[in-house]
Amino acid sequence: MERDHEKRAAIADQFKEKIRRETRGERLRVYMPIILLLSLSVLFAVYDSRFFSPANITNLLYQMTIPLILATGITFVLLTGCIDLSLEGVMGLAGSSIALLILNTKNSNDFGAIGVLVPIAGCALIGAVTGLIHTKLRIASFIVTFAMGSITAGLAVLTYRGVPAVIKVGWANDLSVGSFWGVPYLTWIALGIFAAGCVLLYCTAFGCAVYAIGDNELAAKASGTHIDAVKTAVFAICACTSGIAGFISCVRLKIGQAAMGSDQLFPAITALVIGGVSLSGGKGGMLQTFVGVLIYTELQNFLTIIGVDAYYKKAVQGVIIIIAVAMTVSRSRKTISK
Amino acid sequence: MKHLGFKLAAIFVILVLLAAGTAAWAAESGEKWHLLISVHNLDSEFWAQEAAGAVLFAESRPDVEYTIQPSNGDDNTLLQGLKDFIAQHGKRSIAVFDPSSAANTVNIADICEEAGVYYSLTWHLAEGLRPEDYKYFVGLFSPDDEVSGYKTASHLLEAIGKKGNVVYLHGKIGEDSAARRYQGMKRALSECPDVKLVDYQVADWDQEKAMAITETWLATKGPIDGIIAANDTMALGAIEALKKAELNGKVPVTGTDGIQAAFDAIKGGDMLATIANDGYLLFGYAAAYAYAAATGQPHEKGAFYTNAVFVTKDNVEQVIADYIKGKPTFDFSDLKFPILSKREIK
């Protein structure tokens, strides 16, 4: 009897020790993305001094703009355990519509700020519709957003019918090249949206609900969280940030076409995963997103600077991403990786 | 009873009229040729131009009706669309394709040969496929990408006095057009030993990527004397990066394709030159060849390089007038007009 008791005590001790070890590992893993960012920065700077030249730092600030805006929006979606694949289509639709509503080469429209805000609001509405379809019709988010991405990409093409509009407004140029305290205006906009994202996630009941849903939807529901409303809002936020990213891209490129959204989803999601945001929801946050975006942008920029042969660049990039994700993703709760 | 007879007679007359009308309609629609225009999608200006070119041809013939099918670059979408089209129109179908991939041209050929449908292909062709070996395969048409790459690069190298540092924006790796344009650029470069290719990067035909790469080049590669881009969209991305560094117009940029924004950039002095691949001509005549074959008119069979328009500041106004403000007009009965040279298929 006593030996049984001792055995049980020994097992309990081992279990406690295991939990302690895992917790320690978890704590370390939280800091992993930051450690990775710092070590990559040092490594890149040592390898090539041009990496930290003032001109290239400005570049990095420009190049992180769109990924940061997109990543801020999609963080909310991933935290609830959903996914938004419509981001590229929505971005293309916003950019194409904005280019046609402000002064451009294709028509005589010149709606100024309204021409920018209405399409962005429209995107938020599209996001809300996506959220409603997902929650009310109970269709998996990946398929709803995939379909919505296809619809919005199609609509984007329809807006300009083959020949995209080139924007002619003077302020677009000022906005795309101007800076304040050495930081480009566009980056300030991205930082502003990121800050708003932080406030929303950390200082409001809505933010708590997002985490609660991602962690355990049933428990969140039982405790009175209005799941459908929160999820709808989350998709609206993501589509709204995609719309803003479309606007930024339009200002940068001076042209509004559906293709501006292409290849934007993968960097945004990769940045989040590298930063430690969990695809299964409930884990991660804005800091992780920010660090992930910085790592991804630095990596892209560095590979261009050192002139990795174009034929190897994608492979090298893929290998580095896998290493980065392996170092930063938490696996403690997972029994199976899907 | 008298009334009933009258009603029956009236119904009979109506039925006869309906039957005659339907028969006449059927006979008339049987006379028509149905042209399938298969392009990637319509969001790219060039692909939209291709579709419009085939429409120009269809509208020039009263006996041709057309359907545009975007494949979105997907092999299965294209094949399913083709099968549906043939099921609907049978041997009265003719087809012109910008194939979703080179490999898929084998499947296209199989389906069209089996159905007895005359077809033209543009741009891509699977290895071993030759128009001469197939009954219904009328021709392969494409501008010569190697020549385009060579001409634009040579023009830029001439403009910088055949010395200095240049960079190259590469299209999608693995695509034939990207590879041949790169070869053409290298040929031009080999004729100028004092020019150094400082770097080349893949920007996937994408403007945003091209802009980011050029920004990084300008910040880290020292003075750059010229930027050669494999297409206009990437050239425009490079120009936006140059504008930020206040170097637009000072560093010459060339592209290929001939999109409207590139013409505007040439007109404004930000871009040096491009080659308008002339999607109107390419698809218009590809359709004309398929139609000629189907209707038994004399035509040459084989693979051809088609004419392209070299655009610089000197002729940009004229090109805008012909291609942007208006649509070019072609005499589709002159089947020799679009051909630059015969292409050897290995």
Side-chain angles (χ1 to χ4, degrees):
Chain A
M1 189 72 182
E2 202 160 297
R3 284 186 64 177
D4 268 4
H5 189 72
E6 273 173 21
K7 255 188 200 168
R8 272 203 288 273
I11 290 169
D13 281 345
Q14 278 174 8
F15 187 67
K16 265 188 220 161
E17 179 55 30
K18 189 173 170 249
I19 296 282
R20 218 173 289 140
R21 233 183 301 132
E22 275 186 7
T23 318
R24 223 179 300 135
E26 269 303 284
R27 230 177 286 145
L28 187 66
R29 221 168 262 288
V30 170
Y31 295 110
M32 231 23 218
I34 298 173
I35 296 168
L36 185 69
L37 173 67
L38 293 176
S39 34
L40 278 182
S41 306
V42 172
L43 194 74
F44 291 169
V46 170
Y47 192 88
D48 197 317
S49 58
R50 292 171 297 180
F51 184 72
F52 270 132
S53 64
N56 198 46
I57 288 176
T58 311
N59 268 343
L60 285 169
L61 290 171
Y62 269 115
Q63 287 162 17
M64 66 180 271
T65 306
I66 291 173
L68 181 61
I69 295 172
L70 291 174
T72 301
I74 206 167
T75 299
F76 286 93
V77 179
L78 289 191
L79 283 176
T80 60
C82 298
I83 187 98
D84 188 348
L85 305 177
S86 68
L87 183 150
E88 296 181 341
V90 173
M91 186 177 162
L93 177 61
S96 312
S97 318
I98 289 170
L100 286 167
L101 291 173
I102 58 179
L103 199 61
N104 68 82
T105 54
K106 224 173 141 70
N107 56 38
S108 54
N109 289 340
D110 184 13
F111 294 109
I114 294 173
V116 175
L117 294 174
V118 168
I120 293 175
C123 288
L125 194 66
I126 288 171
V129 171
T130 308
L132 284 173
I133 295 173
H134 166 57
T135 52
K136 300 296 176 196
L137 300 183
R138 305 227 159 269
I139 304 174
S141 62
F142 85 90
I143 195 72
V144 180
T145 55
F146 184 70
M148 205 48 114
S150 178
I151 293 169
T152 45
L155 287 176
V157 178
L158 274 180
T159 58
Y160 59 84
R161 289 175 181 269
V163 183
V166 175
I167 57 173
K168 292 196 295 186
V169 279
W171 55 259
N173 203 41
D174 299 340
L175 193 61
S176 71
V177 298
S179 61
F180 179 64
W181 286 350
V183 176
Y185 289 148
L186 297 181
T187 315
W188 280 116
I189 295 177
L191 290 172
I193 289 162
F194 175 73
C198 289
V199 170
L200 199 57
L201 190 62
Y202 296 123
C203 306
T204 63
F206 171 75
C208 297
V210 167
Y211 273 110
I213 291 172
D215 203 39
N216 189 336
E217 194 170 322
L218 289 176
K221 199 172 186 180
S223 65
T225 307
H226 201 319
I227 309 274
D228 291 0
V230 173
K231 279 193 172 178
T232 305
V234 157
F235 281 103
I237 290 169
C238 186
C240 181
T241 52
S242 305
I244 296 169
F247 165 64
I248 300 284
S249 184
C250 187
V251 164
R252 249 170 86 76
L253 303 171
K254 313 284 183 306
I255 197 163
Q257 57 184 332
M260 67 167 56
S262 62
D263 291 348
Q264 298 288 350
L265 181 68
F266 181 70
I269 292 182
T270 308
L272 258 65
V273 175
I274 294 175
V277 178
S278 163
L279 285 175
S280 52
K283 272 200 160 191
M286 285 297 171
L287 178 68
Q288 283 90 333
T289 297
F290 190 74
V291 172
V293 167
L294 284 182
I295 293 174
Y296 189 84
T297 312
E298 281 194 3
L299 177 63
Q300 290 289 321
N301 177 273
F302 179 69
L303 291 178
T304 304
I305 292 179
I306 59 168
V308 172
D309 190 295
Y311 285 89
Y312 298 111
K313 190 175 173 184
K314 286 205 167 170
V316 170
Q317 190 183 313
V319 169
I320 296 177
I321 287 172
I322 289 178
I323 294 172
V325 172
M327 285 169 72
T328 55
V329 168
S330 163
R331 284 178 216 82
S332 60
R333 284 171 57 196
K334 285 187 180 170
T335 47
I336 301 168
S337 292
K338 286 188 269 190
Chain B
M1 197 65 197
K2 196 181 165 190
H3 276 292
L4 186 66
F6 181 71
K7 276 180 189 167
L8 281 174
I11 290 170
F12 179 70
V13 170
I14 290 168
L15 283 175
V16 167
L17 284 175
L18 269 177
T22 313
W25 176 79
E28 194 203 1
S29 63
E31 288 295 309
K32 293 251 184 207
W33 288 96
H34 298 270
L35 171 65
L36 170 66
I37 305 167
S38 174
V39 290
H40 284 241
N41 59 44
L42 300 173
D43 74 344
S44 140
E45 201 174 324
F46 184 72
W47 289 328
Q49 209 181 70
E50 285 183 339
V55 171
L56 271 184
F57 167 74
E59 286 174 350
S60 75
R61 292 283 181 278
D63 59 340
V64 176
E65 280 181 349
Y66 67 87
T67 303
I68 301 173
Q69 279 188 1
S71 68
N72 296 318
D74 180 62
D75 291 351
N76 285 322
T77 309
L78 187 151
L79 298 177
Q80 196 52 53
L82 171 62
K83 283 178 188 165
D84 292 347
F85 190 81
I86 291 175
Q88 212 179 337
H89 303 295
K91 282 187 190 286
R92 301 297 294 180
S93 312
I94 47 177
V96 50
F97 299 91
D98 184 342
S100 44
S101 69
N104 205 27
T105 54
V106 177
N107 302 321
I108 293 172
D110 284 347
I111 294 171
C112 290
E113 292 293 329
E114 199 188 320
V117 167
Y118 286 96
Y119 59 103
S120 297
L121 294 171
T122 58
W123 297 102
H124 311 292
L125 195 66
E127 219 163 292
L129 205 64
R130 284 157 38 92
E132 290 84 352
D133 300 339
Y134 290 83
K135 185 176 174 196
Y136 296 97
F137 185 0
V138 183
L140 170 72
F141 303 86
S142 77
D144 190 345
D145 278 312
E146 202 271 346
V147 170
S148 301
Y150 173 78
K151 273 191 179 172
T152 46
S154 292
H155 190 74
L156 183 134
L157 299 177
E158 196 82 43
I160 62 169
K162 294 189 175 180
K163 61 176 190 294
N165 296 331
V166 295
V167 283
Y168 185 75
L169 287 163
H170 200 295
K172 244 184 194 141
I173 289 275
E175 280 192 16
D176 191 44
S177 310
R180 286 189 55 80
R181 287 176 196 182
Y182 179 68
Q183 279 168 9
M185 183 277 297
K186 290 287 267 186
R187 177 155 70 94
L189 213 58
S190 67
E191 293 170 3
C192 303
D194 293 334
V195 177
K196 191 177 169 208
L197 180 66
V198 185
D199 194 12
Y200 77 99
Q201 290 283 334
V202 175
D204 293 335
W205 311 121
D206 184 88
Q207 192 175 357
E208 176 72 42
K209 284 184 190 166
M211 184 176 178
I213 289 169
T214 311
E215 283 171 345
T216 308
W217 274 338
L218 292 174
T220 57
K221 294 285 178 200
I224 289 172
D225 301 300
I227 301 173
I228 305 165
N231 79 344
D232 285 344
T233 311
M234 293 191 294
L236 292 169
I239 288 169
E240 285 310 318
L242 288 172
K243 276 185 187 164
K244 264 178 55 201
E246 295 178 353
L247 287 169
N248 52 317
K250 293 172 193 155
V251 176
V253 181
T254 57
T256 302
D257 280 349
I259 62 171
Q260 187 177 345
F263 295 153
D264 291 341
I266 291 174
K267 206 169 133 188
D270 289 338
M271 191 163 157
L272 186 69
T274 184
I275 283 193
N277 274 334
D278 201 345
Y280 290 114
L281 174 132
L282 181 69
F283 250 57
Y285 278 95
Y289 267 78
Y291 174 79
T295 52
Q297 294 166 34
H299 68 281
E300 212 178 337
K301 197 171 152 84
F304 307 96
Y305 284 124
T306 53
N307 291 317
V309 188
F310 195 70
V311 188
T312 64
K313 205 163 185 172
D314 299 334
N315 65 345
V316 68
E317 293 280 3
Q318 188 58 44
V319 172
I320 290 175
D322 287 350
Y323 286 84
I324 305 298
K325 293 193 175 141
K327 277 184 186 165
T329 47
F330 298 114
D331 172 11
F332 286 113
S333 60
D334 178 8
L335 293 176
K336 286 207 162 48
F337 173 74
I339 307 302
L340 173 72
S341 61
K342 190 106 194 211
R343 175 174 169 182
E344 285 301 317
I345 302 282
K346 285 172 199 158

